[in-house]
Amino acid sequence: MIAFLFFLVFLLVYMVFAVYAERKLSAFIQDRLGPTEIGPYGMFQTLADLVKLLQKEDIVPVKADKWVFLAAPAVIFTAIFAGFAVMPLTPTLQGSGAVVGVFYLLTIVSIDIVGLLAAGWSSNNKYSLLGAMRSVAQIVSYEIPVGLSVLCVVVLCQTLDLQEICYQQGIYIRTLPVYSESTNYLFGIKRLGIDMTEVGGFLTWNVIRMPLFFIVYIIFFIATLAEANRAPFDIPEAESELVGGFHTEYSGFRWALLFLAEYGMMLLVSFLGAVLFFGGWNTLFPNIGPVRLADWTSGMPGTIYGNITGAFWIILKAFIGVFIQMWVRWTYPRLRVDQLMHLCWKVLTPLSLLLLFISALWKLL
């Protein structure tokens, strides 16, 4: 329950600051000023927009399928928010310790396809329906390279538990239900790839332990951009072609809910990328001889200091991932539909299959 409330509040606060940050970042890239009028440096612009959206009338088109139209945004947001349930924020703070966390996450997030299609179909608008069909085709296609890139990590770590994947990338061994000083280091057990467990830090991250995992992460990052409908993969929302895509007919609070779901998806895939490839809640700094940087910057699991440092590191890594997604959006032009599908089926999917095969060989040898 604590984890649920934390993620809910965190997601709402994150969205307010993320929208402001993206506006300022896009302004910087395009040599503009961005929000400047409301509050110091325009910091309260997003809050003003949120108040405006909450006060707007909730309009339902006359010929729309009312109940499906009203339920679709809630389905989309719920599917994405439910993904945070298995995300390990610290060594002890996790909504659900499901041992099949990876499988659950990939499954529950894919349900947002139902909401997207329902939103477009129920609007009784040809532009909304076209946007929904594009979205379904895109997300279903790019789920394949996402799944294959995640499988590369699962093959190496031999677990579907996201918390266990975090432990395998740090200096501590998972000893449930208690932790003791005598078992905080792991010797000779995690011989998966390059074993640097005593050193810790970035040298134990999966992206370092398996040399080709940086390429795997690039595939994961590109495919999750498409999953989140972010530019240059925002064809379902292409305003120059479809007015606004599947959410053309939405206004007020329900439009804000769709917007929140998009930013929530950005944060979720950034958290997942941090857990799978960049150590999760483990520290960046390694132990260098007598200078025990990893010990000092990552407290013992189960302690207050360990929870604080764990939350700091994973949130920092996730925010860097969100920043890169924003950077990409305002740098690259939108792809055409044929280019998008060519990239998925003829480039990312075959490369993911090859890397999965290499990961299996790496594990065996």
Side-chain angles (χ1 to χ4, degrees):
M1 186 63 181
I2 295 176
F4 169 79
L5 293 175
F6 176 86
F7 273 117
L8 180 60
V9 174
F10 179 76
L11 186 59
L12 294 174
V13 175
Y14 148 79
M15 179 193 171
V16 173
F17 286 98
V19 172
Y20 173 77
E22 181 158 21
R23 285 174 166 176
K24 282 296 187 182
L25 179 63
S26 64
F28 175 78
I29 292 174
Q30 297 176 345
D31 198 19
R32 299 184 288 108
L33 294 177
T36 58
E37 299 299 324
I38 304 180
Y41 303 101
M43 293 182 64
F44 300 148
Q45 180 66 57
T46 306
L47 290 174
D49 292 340
L50 185 59
V51 172
K52 179 191 72 174
L53 287 171
L54 292 175
Q55 292 177 340
K56 274 191 170 183
E57 183 182 358
D58 187 15
I59 299 174
V60 179
V62 175
K63 295 185 178 181
D65 190 323
K66 181 179 179 180
W67 297 114
V68 177
F69 181 86
L70 294 176
V75 172
I76 297 171
F77 176 77
T78 303
I80 293 173
F81 183 72
F84 287 95
V86 292
M87 201 57 62
L89 190 65
T90 71
T92 55
L93 182 57
Q94 184 181 17
S96 170
V99 294
V100 290
V102 173
F103 180 76
Y104 164 83
L105 185 58
L106 294 178
T107 303
I108 197 71
V109 170
S110 64
I111 294 177
D112 73 332
I113 296 175
V114 177
L116 293 174
L117 186 58
W121 177 82
S122 64
S123 296
N124 194 34
N125 179 306
K126 61 181 180 181
Y127 294 113
S128 298
L129 183 58
L130 282 172
M133 292 172 64
R134 284 184 176 188
S135 184
V136 171
Q138 175 176 309
I139 294 177
V140 169
S141 298
Y142 276 86
E143 278 181 352
I144 296 174
V146 168
L148 291 173
S149 59
V150 171
L151 273 178
C152 292
V153 178
V154 172
V155 166
L156 186 69
C157 296
Q158 294 291 288
T159 180
L160 292 170
D161 188 348
L162 291 171
Q163 189 72 278
E164 179 62 28
I165 292 174
C166 286
Y167 272 101
Q168 290 190 19
Q169 299 177 78
I171 59 175
Y172 296 107
I173 183 174
R174 193 177 192 183
T175 55
L176 299 176
V178 295
Y179 299 91
S180 65
E181 188 68 32
S182 61
T183 58
N184 63 338
Y185 292 107
L186 183 57
F187 294 100
I189 297 177
K190 294 186 302 186
R191 299 192 181 278
L192 305 174
I194 303 171
D195 191 358
M196 298 291 290
T197 307
E198 297 178 48
V199 179
F202 69 92
L203 295 175
T204 57
W205 293 355
N206 283 333
V207 76
I208 301 296
R209 291 163 63 195
M210 205 294 192
L212 293 179
F213 267 19
F214 183 74
I215 301 175
V216 175
Y217 175 72
I218 295 298
I219 295 173
F220 172 84
F221 179 78
I222 293 173
T224 51
L225 273 181
E227 287 275 293
N229 287 336
R230 294 285 296 181
F233 303 100
D234 60 337
I235 290 177
E237 304 169 11
E239 68 278 354
S240 59
E241 305 168 30
L242 302 176
V243 184
F246 61 88
H247 53 65
T248 298
E249 298 292 348
Y250 285 93
S251 63
F253 173 73
R254 297 184 192 280
W255 185 88
L257 203 60
L258 292 171
F259 203 61
L260 178 62
E262 178 180 320
Y263 276 84
M265 186 66 169
M266 291 171 59
L267 183 64
L268 180 62
V269 297
S270 296
F271 267 120
L272 182 60
V275 169
L276 295 178
F277 298 96
F278 297 103
W281 40 258
N282 288 293
T283 180
L284 165 69
F285 302 106
N287 290 324
I288 306 174
V291 183
R292 313 297 291 181
L293 295 177
D295 294 344
W296 300 337
T297 56
S298 59
M300 180 72 69
T303 64
I304 295 177
Y305 181 66
N307 287 332
I308 293 174
T309 55
F312 169 79
W313 285 117
I314 194 171
I315 291 174
L316 176 63
K317 295 169 186 176
F319 279 178
I320 292 174
V322 172
F323 168 77
I324 296 174
Q325 291 181 52
M326 294 178 180
W327 187 5
V328 168
R329 173 180 180 178
W330 297 101
T331 303
Y332 294 101
R334 180 182 299 128
L335 297 178
R336 298 194 312 265
V337 175
D338 61 313
Q339 293 172 329
L340 181 139
M341 290 302 176
H342 178 274
L343 177 64
C344 176
W345 292 107
K346 295 188 177 181
V347 179
L348 297 183
T349 299
L351 187 56
S352 299
L353 285 169
L354 176 62
L355 289 168
L356 178 59
F357 176 71
I358 295 174
S359 299
L361 287 180
W362 180 274
K363 170 62 181 171
L364 289 174
L365 299 178

